Amino acid sequence: MSELSYAGFWRRVLASIVDTLVLLVPMLAVMYVFGTLDSIFDSADVDAPEPLGFIVFGLVVGWGYKALLESSALQATPGKMAVGLRVTDPDGGRLS
């Protein structure tokens, strides 16, 4: 096994941008289906669900996305894989 090293700032930023896009596209689709996306831009529509629920849902999905993928056999989210990063324990193994 090679020596472990930490990723630089810009590689992490790029990975974060990719992961945000991976999560944002389906989230916007869900918001569109439930009519919340329209209610954000049109405040006169009072029948649409509250955007706060979707914000909380997005946070939970984002947390689960990172936790599951970083502790999986892949050891990375799609953004981290795109820039060649892996998340490891101090010995280079998978997270538990």
Side-chain angles (χ1 to χ4, degrees), residues 1 11 36 48 86:
M1 178 169 57
R11 286 178 70 188
T36 304
R86 282 186 339 162

Side-chain angles (χ1 to χ4, degrees), residues 34-86:
F34 286 99
T36 304
L37 194 60
D38 293 334
S39 71
I40 291 172
F41 298 108
D42 182 17
S43 59
D45 186 9
V46 293
D47 293 336
E50 285 293 319
L52 181 61
F54 284 97
I55 292 170
V56 172
F57 176 71
L59 289 172
V60 170
V61 168
W63 173 79
Y65 168 84
K66 285 183 62 108
L68 290 173
L69 287 172
E70 290 178 357
S71 64
S72 73
L74 296 172
Q75 292 180 275
T77 61
K80 288 181 177 72
M81 286 187 279
V83 296
L85 301 179
R86 282 186 339 162

